[in-house]
Every structure is written in C-alpha cells, then in structure tokens.
C-alpha cells in the first residue's frame, strides 16, 4: 500500500517499462515472460502492456493488458464539498470548532473548521480541549491510522532498542497527536530523543527539571 498518491509521471507502459522480463496477468494466469513478448501479446489485442506499480526495485514487475489513451490523462471525477459535522466539536481558544478531516501536513495533524472566524486550520490532539464523544472516537481512529511504521534496517530487520523506542513514541503520539520526525538530543543527558517530540529534554529530565 503506497503512503502517497503516485504522480502520472510514474505511469509506465510498453517500452517505458524498464525490465527485460515481466509477470503478465493475462486474465487466466500469471506468467513470466520477456517484456517484448508481453508487449506483442498486448498489441495483438489492441491494448498496451501496463505496469501495476511505479518503477521500483522489483527485478520482474507485474503487468496487465489494458487500453491506454494518449496523451496520458487522469480520470475526471467530481469534487465534493467538505461536510461539516457539528457532532465532531472540540473546545478551541475561540470557542467550539469542528474536526473536518486530515490536515495532510505532518503525521497526526487534523483539519478543523472555526465557524466563528469562518476559517480552516490544522490542529493536533494536544492543542484540543474538551470534546464530544464523537470527536474523541474520531481522534482515536485518526491517530491509530496515522501511526508511522516501525523502523527497519536495509536488511528489513528491526533492532530491539529501535522497536522499544518506536512503541514508546507511539504511546505519546496517541495522547498528543504530535510527530516531528527529526533528530534531536536531550540537552541534559545527551540521549537521542524520540521522534514525537520537538523539545530539548528527554522524558526523564523534562519531568525532573
């Protein structure tokens, strides 16, 4: 599952598929064959050979036979106006504001609407006051779906210390909705800070200090 929408520039078909061999889904079976043979197979059917995914480190990409119109263009679909659900209220500095979706900025940031100022903005869990039960469940589900993946090395393995740190960072993320993803160190003991904080002290020294 991609973590972003692909660009149309990533679309690959026919000779733009840079691989000597491909897996072709012909509708009845998945068969490995030479790319040029697969292209000829598609052209015989009045179609093109289309890669399922953008270029990656796959040595043998998976492809399908599909129609391609030139110049390439995205499907057109209607844009819906955002729905304001008054049940998703929370207390903000200017009064009751409403959650409206994903802020699409940093992990954990939610889009909100201020009816008093007639303006939209982004907010984290730690910046929200009292809220409705509906908003509380919305926030919990949103943060669960926004959790950054666990760290993994080039070999795909995860160090035990990295995994423990990831779990601790996620625990705070669920409470605050903040995830900065930048390196930082504690200015008291020098330990490497978890990526959910923008502070300059670790949990131990922040509490003690």
């Amino acid at each position: 599952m991609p973590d972003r929408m692909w660009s149309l520039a990533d679309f690959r078909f026919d000779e733009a598929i840079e691989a000597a061999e491909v897996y072709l889904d012909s509708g009845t079976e998945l068969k490995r064959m030479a790319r040029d043979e697969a292209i000829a197979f598609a052209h015989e059917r009045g179609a093109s050979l289309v890669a399922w995914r953008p270029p990656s480190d796959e040595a043998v990409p998976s492809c399908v036979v599909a129609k391609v119109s030139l110049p390439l263009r995205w499907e057109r679909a209607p844009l819906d106006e955002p729905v304001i659900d008054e049940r998703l209220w929370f207390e903000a500095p200017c009064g009751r504001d409403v959650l409206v979706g994903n802020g699409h900025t940093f992990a954990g940031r939610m889009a909100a609407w201020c009816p008093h100022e007639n303006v939209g903005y982004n907010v984290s869990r730690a910046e929200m006051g009292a809220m409705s039960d509906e908003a509380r469940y919305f926030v919990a589900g949103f943060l669960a779906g926004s959790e950054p993946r666990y760290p993994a090395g080039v070999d795909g393995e995860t160090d035990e210390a990295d995994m423990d740190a990831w779990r601790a960072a996620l625990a705070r993320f669920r409470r605050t909705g903040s995830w900065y993803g930048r390196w930082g160190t504690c200015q008291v003991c020098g330990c490497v800070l978890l990526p959910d904080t923008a502070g300059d002290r670790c949990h131990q020294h922040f509490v003690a200090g």
Side-chain angles (χ1 to χ4, degrees):
M1 181 67 68
D3 60 1
R4 64 174 177 85
M5 180 172 170
W6 297 320
S7 165
L8 194 60
D10 293 326
F11 187 87
R12 295 289 185 273
F13 71 100
D14 290 346
E15 286 77 10
I17 300 172
E18 298 177 346
E21 294 185 310
V22 300
Y23 284 112
L24 176 63
D25 185 348
S26 63
T28 57
E29 62 176 338
L30 190 64
K31 183 179 180 182
R32 181 168 179 165
M33 63 175 66
R35 185 206 63 174
D36 291 346
E37 180 184 352
I39 291 174
F41 177 88
H43 287 185
E44 287 171 2
R45 286 153 182 78
S48 295
L49 182 71
V50 176
W52 267 343
R53 300 177 184 85
S56 67
D57 56 2
E58 286 183 305
V60 184
S62 297
C63 300
V64 294
V65 172
K67 178 179 179 179
V68 176
S69 296
L70 295 177
L72 287 175
R73 63 187 186 278
W74 282 115
E75 165 193 7
R76 292 186 178 274
L79 296 174
D80 296 329
E81 291 296 323
V83 176
I84 306 297
D85 188 339
E86 299 292 344
R87 295 172 297 178
L88 299 179
W89 65 264
F90 65 95
E91 295 292 345
C94 62
R96 283 190 174 182
D97 290 351
V98 183
L99 292 169
V100 294
N102 192 331
H104 295 291
T105 54
F106 302 105
R109 295 285 277 177
M110 293 164 281
W113 176 257
C114 175
H116 319 288
E117 301 292 336
N118 203 37
V119 66
Y121 66 99
N122 292 325
V123 64
S124 294
R125 174 64 184 90
E127 301 167 314
M128 302 166 65
M131 64 185 69
S132 65
D133 287 340
E134 290 86 350
R136 194 179 314 281
Y137 287 121
F138 178 96
V139 171
F142 181 86
L143 294 181
S146 302
E147 292 178 356
R149 293 186 60 192
Y150 58 85
V154 293
D155 57 358
E157 298 296 323
T158 300
D159 180 80
E160 184 176 349
D162 286 345
M163 185 63 78
D164 289 343
W166 174 72
R167 292 192 182 104
L170 285 189
R172 287 199 308 208
F173 174 70
R174 296 186 196 107
R175 296 193 300 270
T176 67
S178 298
W179 192 277
Y180 296 91
R182 298 189 293 266
W183 290 116
T185 60
C186 175
Q187 297 307 297
V188 178
C189 69
C191 70
V192 177
L193 297 172
L194 298 176
D196 69 293
T197 179
D200 61 1
R201 293 192 177 193
C202 66
H203 174 75
Q204 179 182 354
H205 291 105
F206 175 79
V207 173

